[in-house]
């Protein structure tokens, strides 16, 4: 689903009052995220992905994710069929935004008592087509929610965080809810007819555990290897 490209972040770290003191501009909002993110040089984390929709049923697939600045990323599946959503393992959120989206608006608001930026964006490529919105908490520089609409389907996402090692605010759960088109019109060769589009709702949940941050990761970890059954490591999709 194209709308799943809103997921733009794995990590955003604590930002002091620096974020809240900047004017409402796209660059100020991106620097707010980037400033805290720079503190993480590498990480290893275990993830579990569950997807439930009319099109996909994937309960409790597990993988290990490695990331090293500036852009090294590897996802190693451990258990179950893994179809890795891109919003779960972006590594560098600001770089991902700059590459895939144009920011067309930014405003300040409050989410409860927390001052936030609200960024409106449009995709630059067919893979990120549609209209997008993300909400960034100014105090810590965290993306806390987002939404997407590609005209045929809608998606909302919520990030939950916990402090790791007493200083890094890391995501521990991403919940994504989808509605609308889940499968386009398609030809059925067995019945020799066109099947109509399918609509419905779905939920994807990604949980993160056992973070190891800034412990050092050798470059050899990121060399793609064949698994025992001949398959290769998976790369993020969507």
């Amino acid at each position: 689903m194209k709308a799943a490209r809103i997921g733009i972040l794995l990590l955003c770290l604590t930002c002091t009052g620096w974020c809240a003191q900047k004017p409402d501009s796209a660059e100020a909002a991106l620097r707010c995220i980037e400033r805290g993110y720079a503190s993480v040089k590498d990480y290893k984390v275990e993830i579990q992905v569950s997807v439930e929709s009319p099109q996909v049923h994937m309960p409790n697939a597990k993988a290990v994710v490695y990331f090293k600045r500036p852009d090294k990323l590897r996802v190693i599946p451990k258990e179950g069929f893994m179809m890795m959503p891109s919003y779960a393992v972006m590594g560098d959120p600001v770089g991902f935004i700059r590459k895939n989206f144009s920011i067309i608006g930014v405003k300040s608001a409050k989410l409860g008592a927390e001052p936030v930026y609200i960024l409106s964006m449009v995709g630059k490529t067919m893979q990120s087509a549609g209209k997008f919105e993300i909400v960034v908490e100014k105090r810590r520089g965290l993306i806390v929610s987002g939404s997407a609409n590609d005209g045929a389907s809608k998606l909302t996402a919520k990030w939950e965080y916990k402090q790791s090692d007493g200083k890094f605010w890391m995501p521990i759960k991403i919940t994504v809810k989808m509605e609308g088109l889940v499968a386009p019109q398609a030809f059925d060769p067995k019945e020799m007819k066109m099947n109509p589009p399918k609509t419905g709702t779905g939920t994807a949940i990604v949980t993160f555990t056992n973070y190891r941050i800034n412990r050092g990761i050798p470059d050899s970890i990121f060399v793609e290897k064949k698994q025992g059954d001949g398959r290769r490591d998976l790369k993020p999709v969507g």
Side-chain angles (χ1 to χ4, degrees), residues 152-170:
S153 48
K154 298 179 181 179
L155 178 151
T156 59
K158 179 182 178 182
W159 284 261
E160 299 175 35
Y161 295 86
K162 184 177 180 180
Q163 209 167 27
S164 183
D165 294 342
K167 54 183 175 180
F168 303 117
W169 286 99
M170 309 298 287

Side-chain angles (χ1 to χ4, degrees), residues 1-7 101 129-134 146-151 153-157 177 179:
M1 179 180 174
K2 294 179 181 178
R5 301 290 287 191
I6 68 166
F101 301 94
K131 297 180 179 179
F132 304 82
E133 184 177 275
I134 58 172
S147 62
N149 188 335
D150 65 6
S153 48
K154 298 179 181 179
L155 178 151
T156 59
K177 295 184 178 181
E179 63 176 290

Side-chain angles (χ1 to χ4, degrees), residues 50-214:
S50 297
V51 179
E52 192 64 56
S53 75
Q55 191 179 23
V56 178
H57 174 68
M58 186 179 71
N60 303 326
K62 297 178 181 180
V64 177
V65 176
Y66 295 88
F67 174 75
K68 183 176 182 179
R69 287 177 62 84
D71 57 3
K72 286 182 168 58
L73 180 69
R74 187 175 177 195
V75 181
I76 302 177
K78 292 296 185 183
E79 182 178 322
F81 173 72
M82 176 64 69
M83 186 173 61
M84 177 56 56
S86 61
Y87 53 77
V89 285
M90 280 304 94
D92 175 4
V94 174
F96 183 74
I97 292 173
R98 293 187 190 278
K99 179 180 179 180
N100 293 281
F101 301 94
S102 295
I103 299 175
I104 59 174
V106 56
K107 62 182 179 180
S108 285
K110 281 195 173 182
L111 185 63
E114 287 286 351
V116 296
Y117 286 118
I118 301 177
L119 281 72
S120 299
M121 308 182 298
V122 293
K124 292 181 178 180
T125 67
M126 289 299 294
Q127 288 74 26
S128 58
K131 297 180 179 179
F132 304 82
E133 184 177 275
I134 58 172
V135 179
V136 181
E137 184 188 297
K138 292 183 179 183
R139 179 172 58 89
R140 298 180 297 174
L142 303 177
I143 297 175
V144 293
S145 64
S147 62
N149 188 335
D150 65 6
S153 48
K154 298 179 181 179
L155 178 151
T156 59
K158 179 182 178 182
W159 284 261
E160 299 175 35
Y161 295 86
K162 184 177 180 180
Q163 209 167 27
S164 183
D165 294 342
K167 54 183 175 180
F168 303 117
W169 286 99
M170 309 298 287
I172 57 170
K173 185 178 183 181
I174 303 174
T175 303
V176 181
K177 295 184 178 181
M178 303 158 280
E179 63 176 290
L181 182 68
V182 295
Q185 179 177 325
F187 179 72
D188 185 341
K190 292 183 178 180
E191 298 292 332
M192 297 298 293
K193 67 176 184 179
M194 293 297 293
N195 289 329
K198 295 181 181 179
T199 60
T201 61
T203 301
I205 297 175
V206 184
T207 56
F208 305 80
T209 56
N210 298 325
Y211 277 103
R212 291 177 60 87
I213 305 166
N214 293 349

